[in-house]
Amino acid sequence: MTIDLVFPPGFVFGTATSAHQVEGDNRFNDWWEWEEKGKVPRSGRACGHWQLYRSDIELMARLGYRGYRFSVEWSRIFPREEVFDEDALLRYAEIVDLLRGKGIEPIVTLHHFTNPTWFNRRGSWLREDNTRYFLKFVEKVADTLKGVKYWVVFNEPNVYVLQGFILGVWPPGYRGVGKGEKALRSLVKAHAEAYSVLSKRGVWVGVAQNLIPFKPASTRRRDVEKTRLVDLAYNWAFIDAVLHGEYAFLKGRGRAVSSDFDFIGVNYYSAYLVKHSWNPFKLFIEVKPLETDIRTTMGYYVYPRGIYEVTRAAYERAGKPIVITENGVAVEDDEDRIKAIIRHLQYLHKAVHEGVRVEGYYYWSLMDNYEWDKGFSQRFGLIEVDYETLERRPRKSAYVYGEVAKTNTVKGELVERYGLKTLD
Ligand code: FCB
């Protein structure tokens, strides 16, 4: 007999999206500009969520989901430096009201990878004093959206800095470690400024950090040492800087503007192996996916134990409550999604059982959507989107997850039905 895994009272099972990936027609941000330059696939009308939000919220309520994480698109609120679009902001306020009316806990993200194009023309995040533009946006949103407890200032600052400022493969497309360092400093400062505005209102402010369990490729000393470095720089640089006011990996050069978090949002997807490399162009480091039995269409593999590892690590390092702000898989077979969800929840439950304070779990994603540089090819959704008609079709996983959400329980019978076992 497999036992039921009951989550604590008040634990929220929800779903997540971000503005540019679902809304459609976000023409005033830098991602759209990249699309126009042909560097990434076009997002076009995406899922049409900017029009269909009412029925989408109805649908998530019917399915039994209790939380919804979404982002407010800065370039909708300030399409030009001097133009403030109040109607757009009021629509987000309506979204919050609709959610709350259905008993769905909103989590609002303020920056999810996109900047208004005018902000980049002003030097983007390379100029520390540019944080004032972001702050103006944060103030407007905080004044207008009422009844939101959880606020995420930055989504995955580590991924964003790496892709957009060090490797230059995402907008704004800067390249070099020095650029990355500058951007990181600005983000840490912007977080501190947003923190002071928001925390005065008695809400909880956090980050949604992409956390990766890095494993040494062998027991060799060099591999182990590189793993430690990668872990420090990728997983913890932003969090440590905010909490302790210094950049541990920038020896001696390191004061940061410290502030705080009220919770740590964890975005967890996959695990990687780290190996020492002799190639200076790779900074003497080689990183590759850890292979397991389920490969996602993203190219990386499903490693459910990792959610336990990173959740514990974040809790121990930051000492703050945790929210799983993203976890999910892009797979062709929906049965693999169901198995992945069950496995991840088993491991999350283990962390909770061991005393880690976790407030909720938000599946990425509510529906299929635009996956950044991969366009519409990746099917992360509990709900299938027909991009011709914009019709929503809940997959089997949508109902299975709904049962979990409604009962706060992963039933033993469900675990057995999918041929899975109790964790040791
Ligand atoms: C995360 C992003 C999110 C989505 C998932 C698949 O890194 O925060 O927008 O693209 O990956």
Side-chain angles (χ1 to χ4, degrees):
M1 250 291 284
T2 315
I3 55 158
D4 291 351
L5 300 176
V6 183
F7 284 75
F11 189 97
V12 173
F13 283 98
T15 63
T17 64
S18 89
H20 193 75
Q21 296 178 272
V22 295
E23 286 178 354
D25 290 315
N26 271 312
R27 311 170 168 267
F28 298 103
N29 73 30
D30 53 356
W31 203 281
W32 187 274
E33 195 177 38
W34 268 51
E35 295 169 17
E36 302 244 284
K37 287 185 184 153
K39 297 195 185 203
V40 288
R42 284 180 190 270
S43 58
R45 62 179 182 165
C47 310
H49 183 61
W50 190 240
Q51 276 73 39
L52 300 174
Y53 60 98
R54 289 196 187 100
S55 49
D56 285 338
I57 293 171
E58 291 276 334
L59 182 54
M60 63 179 100
R62 268 206 308 282
L63 288 165
Y65 307 159
R66 297 279 160 82
Y68 181 50
R69 172 177 172 233
F70 65 97
S71 72
V72 175
E73 174 63 36
W74 182 6
S75 67
R76 272 197 197 278
I77 310 304
F78 286 98
R80 308 249 180 268
E81 189 181 335
E82 302 304 338
V83 179
F84 166 57
D85 185 341
E86 191 172 18
D87 289 344
L89 190 50
L90 291 175
R91 188 171 309 183
Y92 286 112
E94 185 196 340
I95 289 174
V96 169
D97 291 344
L98 290 171
L99 290 168
R100 285 174 41 94
K102 300 265 180 213
I104 299 173
E105 178 85 53
I107 300 186
V108 172
T109 305
L110 291 160
H111 188 277
H112 198 122
F113 294 162
T114 58
N115 299 325
T117 46
W118 60 260
F119 177 76
N120 287 350
R121 302 223 163 79
R122 293 231 163 257
S124 194
W125 297 103
L126 294 179
R127 294 189 46 161
E128 273 193 48
D129 56 350
N130 279 351
T131 61
R132 67 181 192 276
Y133 298 115
F134 182 66
L135 189 64
K136 191 169 155 197
F137 159 68
V138 173
E139 280 169 343
K140 286 277 191 206
V141 182
D143 284 344
T144 312
L145 269 50
K146 302 285 178 231
V148 177
K149 174 177 174 191
Y150 296 94
W151 295 77
V152 167
V153 182
F154 287 104
N155 180 68
E156 301 188 343
N158 53 348
V159 172
Y160 182 55
V161 167
L162 183 67
Q163 304 286 74
F165 293 87
I166 297 178
L167 302 175
V169 292
W170 286 5
Y174 292 106
R175 236 169 254 182
V177 175
K179 297 268 192 329
E181 196 184 311
K182 279 198 176 134
L184 178 63
R185 283 178 193 279
S186 301
L187 299 190
V188 169
K189 177 169 174 260
H191 176 89
E193 292 168 354
Y195 188 86
S196 76
V197 166
L198 289 162
S199 61
K200 275 193 209 103
R201 294 168 161 86
V203 301
W204 282 26
V205 186
V207 60
Q209 176 75 333
N210 182 281
L211 290 179
I212 294 182
F214 291 107
K215 319 263 179 200
S218 79
T219 53
R220 275 194 295 270
R221 199 179 48 80
R222 278 199 195 90
D223 292 346
V224 174
E225 178 54 18
K226 285 288 152 65
T227 306
R228 200 188 61 79
L229 276 177
V230 171
D231 177 54
L232 189 64
Y234 186 90
N235 287 331
W236 311 112
F238 182 84
I239 289 176
D240 284 1
V242 167
L243 290 176
H244 310 300
E246 61 186 62
Y247 298 102
F249 65 102
L250 298 174
K251 287 198 190 74
R253 284 187 292 148
R255 295 307 299 165
V257 186
S258 67
S259 55
D260 209 351
F261 298 112
D262 302 302
F263 69 97
I264 301 289
V266 171
N267 292 0
Y268 172 65
Y269 288 93
S270 192
Y272 286 79
L273 293 175
V274 180
K275 201 171 169 328
H276 169 79
S277 149
W278 293 107
N279 185 346
F281 297 105
K282 291 183 170 175
L283 302 174
F284 301 100
I285 293 169
E286 206 181 304
V287 180
K288 59 173 193 183
L290 174 77
E291 297 187 15
T292 67
D293 56 335
I294 303 180
R295 186 171 195 259
T296 69
T297 55
M298 293 286 282
Y300 48 70
Y301 296 80
V302 179
Y303 174 64
R305 190 175 198 282
I307 200 168
Y308 167 78
E309 296 169 359
V310 295
T311 299
R312 275 208 75 120
Y315 190 62
E316 278 158 22
R317 194 157 186 123
K320 308 285 176 184
I322 305 292
V323 178
I324 306 301
T325 35
E326 289 181 26
N327 171 240
V329 290
V331 284
E332 265 150 27
D333 184 350
D334 190 49
E335 299 285 304
D336 283 340
R337 183 181 340 272
I338 298 175
K339 282 187 205 151
I341 292 175
I342 298 172
R343 283 311 258 176
H344 282 91
L345 292 182
Q346 287 181 303
Y347 276 107
L348 185 62
H349 188 269
K350 177 175 161 70
V352 172
H353 186 70
E354 290 174 7
V356 178
R357 184 168 164 200
V358 187
E359 305 266 310
Y361 171 93
Y362 290 68
Y363 179 82
W364 183 276
S365 180
L366 172 68
M367 58 186 141
D368 293 338
N369 59 45
Y370 175 80
E371 175 52 33
W372 307 114
D373 48 5
K374 297 190 176 54
F376 293 103
S377 60
Q378 303 301 307
R379 300 284 182 165
F380 275 97
L382 294 166
I383 298 169
E384 181 189 346
V385 175
D386 179 331
Y387 292 114
E388 294 293 313
T389 60
L390 294 185
E391 194 193 328
R392 275 64 165 146
R393 295 183 205 113
R395 297 188 163 103
K396 187 172 162 195
S397 56
Y399 298 105
V400 171
Y401 184 60
E403 280 311 306
V404 172
K406 284 185 232 168
T407 57
N408 253 14
T409 305
V410 178
K411 297 258 168 65
E413 172 268 317
L414 178 71
V415 176
E416 274 171 22
R417 203 183 330 140
Y418 281 86
L420 302 169
K421 293 195 189 68
T422 312
L423 298 184
D424 302 327

